[in-house]
mmCIF file of all heavy atoms in Angstrom:
data_model
loop_
_atom_site.group_PDB
_atom_site.id
_atom_site.type_symbol
_atom_site.label_atom_id
_atom_site.label_comp_id
_atom_site.label_asym_id
_atom_site.label_seq_id
_atom_site.Cartn_x
_atom_site.Cartn_y
_atom_site.Cartn_z
ATOM 1 N N PRO T 244 -0.598 -3.157 -15.516
ATOM 2 C CA PRO T 244 -0.991 -4.570 -15.495
ATOM 3 C C PRO T 244 0.134 -5.466 -14.983
ATOM 4 O O PRO T 244 1.314 -5.158 -15.154
ATOM 5 C CB PRO T 244 -1.325 -4.871 -16.959
ATOM 6 C CG PRO T 244 -0.565 -3.850 -17.742
ATOM 7 C CD PRO T 244 -0.537 -2.622 -16.884
ATOM 8 N N VAL T 245 -0.256 -6.567 -14.361
ATOM 9 C CA VAL T 245 0.705 -7.539 -13.834
ATOM 10 C C VAL T 245 0.785 -8.718 -14.781
ATOM 11 O O VAL T 245 -0.239 -9.263 -15.206
ATOM 12 C CB VAL T 245 0.288 -8.009 -12.431
ATOM 13 C CG1 VAL T 245 1.207 -9.131 -11.952
ATOM 14 C CG2 VAL T 245 0.311 -6.851 -11.450
ATOM 15 N N GLY T 246 1.996 -9.127 -15.122
ATOM 16 C CA GLY T 246 2.172 -10.275 -16.003
ATOM 17 C C GLY T 246 3.572 -10.290 -16.579
ATOM 18 O O GLY T 246 4.211 -9.237 -16.714
ATOM 19 N N GLU T 247 4.058 -11.467 -16.909
ATOM 20 C CA GLU T 247 5.383 -11.575 -17.505
ATOM 21 C C GLU T 247 5.404 -10.853 -18.845
ATOM 22 O O GLU T 247 4.589 -11.125 -19.722
ATOM 23 C CB GLU T 247 5.779 -13.034 -17.676
ATOM 24 C CG GLU T 247 5.992 -13.762 -16.350
ATOM 25 C CD GLU T 247 6.592 -15.149 -16.545
ATOM 26 O OE1 GLU T 247 7.357 -15.326 -17.520
ATOM 27 O OE2 GLU T 247 6.293 -16.043 -15.736
ATOM 28 N N GLY T 248 6.317 -9.915 -18.986
ATOM 29 C CA GLY T 248 6.437 -9.164 -20.220
ATOM 30 C C GLY T 248 5.466 -8.004 -20.341
ATOM 31 O O GLY T 248 5.490 -7.279 -21.338
ATOM 32 N N ALA T 249 4.598 -7.803 -19.333
ATOM 33 C CA ALA T 249 3.604 -6.723 -19.410
ATOM 34 C C ALA T 249 4.261 -5.358 -19.304
ATOM 35 O O ALA T 249 3.874 -4.409 -19.986
ATOM 36 C CB ALA T 249 2.551 -6.900 -18.315
ATOM 37 N N SER T 250 5.229 -5.240 -18.436
ATOM 38 C CA SER T 250 6.007 -4.022 -18.208
ATOM 39 C C SER T 250 7.128 -4.431 -17.268
ATOM 40 O O SER T 250 7.156 -5.572 -16.789
ATOM 41 C CB SER T 250 5.141 -2.920 -17.575
ATOM 42 O OG SER T 250 4.713 -3.312 -16.288
ATOM 43 N N GLY T 253 5.433 -4.853 -13.798
ATOM 44 C CA GLY T 253 4.459 -5.944 -13.914
ATOM 45 C C GLY T 253 5.153 -7.286 -14.042
ATOM 46 O O GLY T 253 4.697 -8.299 -13.500
ATOM 47 N N HIS T 254 6.281 -7.287 -14.734
ATOM 48 C CA HIS T 254 7.091 -8.495 -14.884
ATOM 49 C C HIS T 254 7.687 -8.915 -13.540
ATOM 50 O O HIS T 254 7.698 -10.099 -13.192
ATOM 51 C CB HIS T 254 8.201 -8.238 -15.905
ATOM 52 C CG HIS T 254 9.021 -9.437 -16.243
ATOM 53 N ND1 HIS T 254 8.629 -10.364 -17.188
ATOM 54 C CD2 HIS T 254 10.224 -9.872 -15.754
ATOM 55 C CE1 HIS T 254 9.541 -11.318 -17.265
ATOM 56 N NE2 HIS T 254 10.522 -11.037 -16.413
ATOM 57 N N VAL T 255 8.195 -7.939 -12.788
ATOM 58 C CA VAL T 255 8.768 -8.220 -11.464
ATOM 59 C C VAL T 255 7.706 -8.822 -10.546
ATOM 60 O O VAL T 255 7.962 -9.779 -9.808
ATOM 61 C CB VAL T 255 9.365 -6.932 -10.846
ATOM 62 C CG1 VAL T 255 9.705 -7.135 -9.374
ATOM 63 C CG2 VAL T 255 10.606 -6.509 -11.614
ATOM 64 N N MET T 256 6.492 -8.271 -10.590
ATOM 65 C CA MET T 256 5.401 -8.805 -9.775
ATOM 66 C C MET T 256 5.101 -10.248 -10.134
ATOM 67 O O MET T 256 4.910 -11.101 -9.261
ATOM 68 C CB MET T 256 4.137 -7.960 -9.972
ATOM 69 C CG MET T 256 4.092 -6.698 -9.162
ATOM 70 S SD MET T 256 3.803 -7.001 -7.406
ATOM 71 C CE MET T 256 2.178 -7.732 -7.433
ATOM 72 N N ALA T 257 5.041 -10.529 -11.429
ATOM 73 C CA ALA T 257 4.656 -11.860 -11.886
ATOM 74 C C ALA T 257 5.730 -12.908 -11.612
ATOM 75 O O ALA T 257 5.428 -14.039 -11.233
ATOM 76 C CB ALA T 257 4.327 -11.827 -13.379
ATOM 77 N N THR T 258 6.994 -12.527 -11.791
ATOM 78 C CA THR T 258 8.083 -13.492 -11.632
ATOM 79 C C THR T 258 8.599 -13.569 -10.200
ATOM 80 O O THR T 258 9.297 -14.519 -9.843
ATOM 81 C CB THR T 258 9.261 -13.122 -12.548
ATOM 82 O OG1 THR T 258 9.761 -11.821 -12.185
ATOM 83 C CG2 THR T 258 8.822 -13.124 -14.007
ATOM 84 N N LEU T 272 10.594 -3.526 -22.670
ATOM 85 C CA LEU T 272 9.522 -3.909 -21.751
ATOM 86 C C LEU T 272 8.710 -2.703 -21.285
ATOM 87 O O LEU T 272 7.600 -2.862 -20.779
ATOM 88 C CB LEU T 272 10.110 -4.622 -20.518
ATOM 89 C CG LEU T 272 10.196 -6.139 -20.529
ATOM 90 C CD1 LEU T 272 10.816 -6.634 -19.232
ATOM 91 C CD2 LEU T 272 8.845 -6.774 -20.747
#
Side-chain angles (χ1 to χ4, degrees):
V245 174
E247 293 189 31
S250 65
H254 185 84
V255 168
M256 279 287 297
T258 61
L272 266 179

